[in-house]
Amino acid sequence: MENNISKSLYWAPRILSIIFICFLTLMSLDVFDSGLNFWQTVVAFFMHSLPALFLLIILIISWKYEIVGGIGFILAGLVYIALLMRNPFEWYMLSWAVQISGVAFLTGTLFLIGWFKKNKKSQT
């Protein structure tokens, strides 16, 4: 039973982060509907995909070093909230913060739990 929990704890943040990165990339596809020319669309798509690319780099590093994923995803959630609060507050923004930052916080927390469990196991 303990082995199944360990496997789940190992794979859950990785799978969740892959789904989250795909979701962010999917949201960046809205630039293709904005009527820009080719190069403007390429630049806009790249700019909208930067958060997903940043999280992909964090995921690749955190595949081996879970502490990087824990800190990186939690920081990404905090940065998103900080950027969101630069605008005048509207109530619908609260749902954005929960959807985006909540998933980032959950993923980061799962990475940290896995890191703590691995460190605890290696010390015993």
Side-chain angles (χ1 to χ4, degrees):
M1 181 73 168
E2 180 69 28
N3 195 17
N4 288 340
I5 293 173
S6 295
K7 283 184 181 180
S8 297
L9 191 57
Y10 178 82
W11 284 106
R14 288 156 175 82
I15 293 172
L16 185 61
S17 61
I18 290 169
I19 293 170
F20 183 54
I21 291 167
C22 289
F23 172 75
L24 290 178
T25 304
L26 182 67
M27 293 298 112
S28 67
L29 293 176
D30 67 341
V31 299
F32 291 106
D33 193 31
S34 56
L36 302 172
N37 67 32
F38 176 75
W39 289 112
Q40 290 173 332
T41 303
V42 169
V43 170
F45 180 69
F46 176 72
M47 294 300 289
H48 285 193
S49 298
L50 279 177
L53 292 172
F54 176 70
L55 290 177
L56 180 63
I57 292 168
I58 289 176
L59 173 63
I60 291 169
I61 296 169
S62 65
W63 208 277
K64 183 167 175 93
Y65 305 104
E66 293 171 323
I67 186 74
V68 174
I71 293 171
F73 275 91
I74 290 173
L75 281 177
L78 290 173
V79 166
Y80 180 74
I81 289 175
L83 291 175
L84 193 61
M85 289 300 128
R86 288 185 359 196
N87 300 322
F89 180 76
E90 296 289 335
W91 283 104
Y92 62 85
M93 293 175 156
L94 193 58
S95 68
W96 294 355
V98 169
Q99 290 172 1
I100 304 296
S101 296
V103 175
F105 291 148
L106 176 65
T107 305
T109 304
L110 288 173
F111 271 121
L112 286 177
I113 291 170
W115 179 73
F116 281 126
K117 287 233 179 227
K118 189 167 40 169
N119 277 354
K120 192 175 192 182
K121 187 185 282 187
S122 67
Q123 289 177 357
T124 58

